[in-house]
Amino acid sequence: MVSNIGSWMQTVGAQWLLIGDSAALVTLVQTASSLPIVLLALPSGVIADRFDRRRVLLTAQFAMLAVSCVLTVLAFMDALTAVPLLALTFLLGCGTALMGPAWQAIQPELVERRRLPEAAALGAVNMNLARAVGPALGGVVVAAAGAGWVFAFNAASYLGIAAVLLLWRRPAAASPAAGDEKLLAALYAGRRYVWHAPGVRRVLLRTLLFIPGGAALWSLLPVMASRSLGLGPDGYGLLLGAVGVGAVGGAFVLPRLRRVVGANGTLAVGALVFACVLAVLATVPIPWLVAVVLLPAGVAWIAVLSTLNAAVQTRLPGWVRARGLGVYLLVFQGAQALTAPLWGALADWLGLVASLLTGSVLMLVSAVSVRRWPLHDAARIDPSPSDHWPVPPLVFEPGPADGPVLISVTYRVAPENQAPFTTHMDQVARSRRRTGAFTWGLYQDGNDPARFIENYLVASWSEHLAQHHSRLTATDRRYEEQARRLLVPGTAPEVTHAFDAMSGPVVPNTGNAVSAQELARSPED
């Protein structure tokens, strides 16, 4: 919370240094903070999945401390013009991008899965307590002593979170092994998982439908405070504080709201409230009334974001959690980064009133669309690991990089069960693709219609072993069992593993393990 307070103080200081310029330039502060996450969220997710997350977080803290020190020195020297201010803000955003997936991914290590919604709400309370205190404190400090002191406090605040991380000792089992997976392969694995996980994709869609309208408030509030309400930096800080106070209060009513209307109802109600707030802000230029109206905006913001955050965390297995969260942060921050300058340009072109009313309309669309595109039922998704596949009985030992590997599974299905069998196999197909398959197909034997052959290709033997031992979940197992209950009684699937014949013939293992790569060597070797 101390670090978050420093970040909000820094934001107020940066925005207020640019307040004499155009609205578009002021909104670029948010873009400079958010754009690095668009660029680095996915690589940061790979880093957090492959290396010790505690060390990743510490590296990010000390990097941001160094950048903040440079920002502070330039501010005290009166050398902080728009270009270096935005450039250093961008570098701070790079630190946040490196930290984000790892920070989110450690939460399931700290609390039980059933407590994740409350943990997400508590994290939002943390952020919004800082939002309530930081902007107001930052505004007072900027007005009294200048922006340099808020930058100095932000630099010092990183030391507190670094101390907490240094004292935390992760359980050894929680630390991911770096393994031999290359960066591009790991990036592709994360993208592949998200693309073939309908529950995660729906969370991303709901995020995209909420954030652009919400960004109108954060992008235009400093312009509104200065130009429409005639407030200084302290008044702007108090307006941001009102949003934070509302968010803190919302955290206490959120569990009851979820019990009454559910997760999808919470998303719809939150978007509807935010739409009403933006409409009121567009038509009421009275400072104290604006501050009152911003209280329910904080409630709506925390209700929607904590619901989305908990939803994505409960749908991701541990092996790809940070990469999946990286995609979520990419969508969340990317939507803000891309829409913030658009809101500024729209305000310069059509004015604040038209811009805020446009944001209100977008929020109404978000609320109405929940009925068409709701979150999937979390009770049907269990991302806990399931090591239920037997070790493949091969006559030789493949090398980790040997591949591609063709896995064929033969089933016998009675005619009356074939239609439901193919329906269930559609879920199995998604499971195979999520965990490593890059092609998949289900075929029916033309000479024996009861015989079905499932074929899928995996890039390497190590990738297939990861399917066996670390990537499958309880949900994947349930999909397989649903399909196999429809097989002819007394029959079981027959599984074969085939390797690329062009790399050399397979020779039985007679005592010394031989890899396919070694078998492919020429006689001269």
Side-chain angles (χ1 to χ4, degrees):
M1 187 176 71
V2 172
S3 183
N4 285 334
I5 288 173
S7 297
W8 277 107
M9 291 176 67
Q10 192 270 341
T11 298
V12 170
Q15 288 179 324
W16 212 257
L17 283 177
L18 299 175
I19 202 66
D21 299 289
S22 70
L25 189 59
V26 175
T27 58
L28 283 178
V29 173
Q30 183 173 346
T31 300
S33 300
S34 303
L35 187 59
I37 298 180
V38 178
L39 302 175
L40 301 176
L42 294 181
S44 297
V46 172
I47 292 170
D49 274 335
R50 296 186 70 223
F51 302 104
D52 183 81
R53 289 166 184 161
R54 174 177 164 273
R55 294 183 179 180
V56 172
L57 292 170
L58 282 169
T59 300
Q61 296 308 306
F62 288 119
M64 289 188 286
L65 170 62
V67 173
S68 293
C69 288
V70 174
L71 193 62
T72 302
V73 171
L74 290 177
F76 281 126
M77 293 173 60
D78 270 342
L80 199 55
T81 58
V83 172
L85 174 60
L86 292 173
L88 291 168
T89 301
F90 179 85
L91 290 178
L92 285 175
C94 291
T96 302
L98 176 62
M99 174 184 173
W103 188 264
Q104 297 278 353
I106 66 172
Q107 291 185 23
E109 299 174 20
L110 302 174
V111 298
E112 298 171 334
R113 181 173 181 263
R114 64 188 180 89
R115 297 292 190 192
L116 278 175
E118 288 78 11
L122 185 61
V125 168
N126 175 334
M127 172 61 77
N128 286 284
L129 276 172
R131 191 197 301 273
V133 176
L137 184 58
V140 170
V141 173
V142 170
W149 287 102
V150 298
F151 299 147
F153 181 88
N154 186 43
S157 72
Y158 292 118
L159 295 174
I161 198 167
V164 172
L165 289 167
L166 287 169
L167 292 172
W168 177 43
R169 294 292 180 267
R170 295 181 71 204
S175 301
D180 296 323
E181 194 174 25
K182 304 301 181 184
L183 175 63
L184 291 179
L187 282 172
Y188 178 71
R191 186 207 66 81
R192 180 184 60 217
Y193 185 92
V194 170
W195 182 255
H196 294 289
V200 177
R201 288 210 319 271
R202 184 57 55 85
V203 176
L204 299 180
L205 175 62
R206 296 289 351 142
T207 304
L208 274 177
L209 288 170
F210 179 79
I211 292 301
L217 176 64
W218 307 117
S219 301
L220 299 176
L221 190 58
V223 181
M224 180 182 180
S226 174
R227 300 182 184 178
S228 299
L229 304 178
L231 299 176
D234 49 351
Y236 168 55
L238 289 173
L239 292 182
L240 282 178
V243 182
V245 170
V248 172
F252 291 100
V253 302
L254 187 55
R256 179 174 297 179
L257 178 65
R258 282 206 190 100
R259 285 195 296 269
V260 173
V261 301
N264 288 303
T266 300
L267 296 180
V269 171
L272 183 61
V273 170
F274 219 94
C276 295
V277 169
L278 290 173
V280 172
L281 293 180
T283 55
V284 179
I286 303 172
W288 70 266
L289 190 54
V290 168
V292 171
V293 170
L294 288 173
L295 293 172
V299 176
W301 185 258
I302 192 176
V304 173
L305 292 195
S306 63
T307 299
L308 292 173
N309 187 280
V312 73
Q313 295 230 28
T314 54
R315 287 159 172 77
L316 288 168
W319 70 271
V320 76
R321 182 180 298 127
R323 278 167 281 184
L325 287 165
V327 175
Y328 168 72
L329 291 173
L330 169 64
V331 172
F332 175 77
Q333 295 288 357
Q336 292 194 79
L338 294 175
T339 56
L342 296 179
W343 288 120
L346 189 64
D348 284 337
W349 180 37
L350 296 178
L352 275 172
V353 172
S355 301
L356 290 169
L357 289 176
T358 302
S360 179
V361 171
L362 289 179
M363 278 299 184
L364 286 175
V365 172
S366 176
V368 172
S369 67
V370 172
R371 184 176 180 86
R372 175 66 179 85
W373 296 300
L375 295 178
H376 294 170
D377 185 7
R380 300 182 62 251
I381 302 173
D382 183 357
S384 57
S386 177
D387 187 3
H388 61 276
W389 284 4
V391 176
L394 303 181
V395 298
F396 83 111
E397 184 176 330
D402 289 349
V405 183
L406 172 66
I407 297 93
S408 298
V409 188
T410 304
Y411 308 91
R412 298 201 65 81
V413 187
E416 64 273 13
N417 290 332
Q418 290 176 2
F421 174 77
T422 55
T423 299
H424 286 302
M425 287 301 291
D426 184 57
Q427 297 281 12
V428 173
R430 289 197 181 98
S431 167
R432 307 288 199 238
R433 292 182 184 274
R434 278 196 298 270
T435 55
F438 61 87
T439 65
W440 183 92
L442 182 66
Y443 306 91
Q444 189 172 15
D445 192 332
N447 292 324
D448 184 359
R451 183 172 178 261
F452 285 77
I453 305 100
E454 175 195 9
N455 287 334
Y456 61 96
L457 276 171
V458 180
S460 66
W461 183 241
S462 63
E463 189 97 347
H464 184 55
L465 288 181
Q467 285 184 305
H468 271 263
H469 302 303
S470 61
R471 294 186 177 178
L472 293 175
T473 67
T475 300
D476 298 319
R477 180 172 188 166
R478 187 179 75 247
Y479 291 152
E480 292 177 15
E481 290 173 346
Q482 288 171 345
R484 293 181 181 190
R485 278 197 288 265
L486 298 171
L487 301 185
V488 172
T491 66
E494 298 178 4
V495 184
T496 61
H497 300 78
F499 296 81
D500 182 11
M502 299 306 294
S503 66
V506 172
V507 177
N509 184 4
T510 58
N512 296 319
V514 182
S515 72
Q517 289 175 335
E518 291 172 323
L519 293 170
R521 292 177 178 172
S522 65
E524 290 79 10
D525 293 331

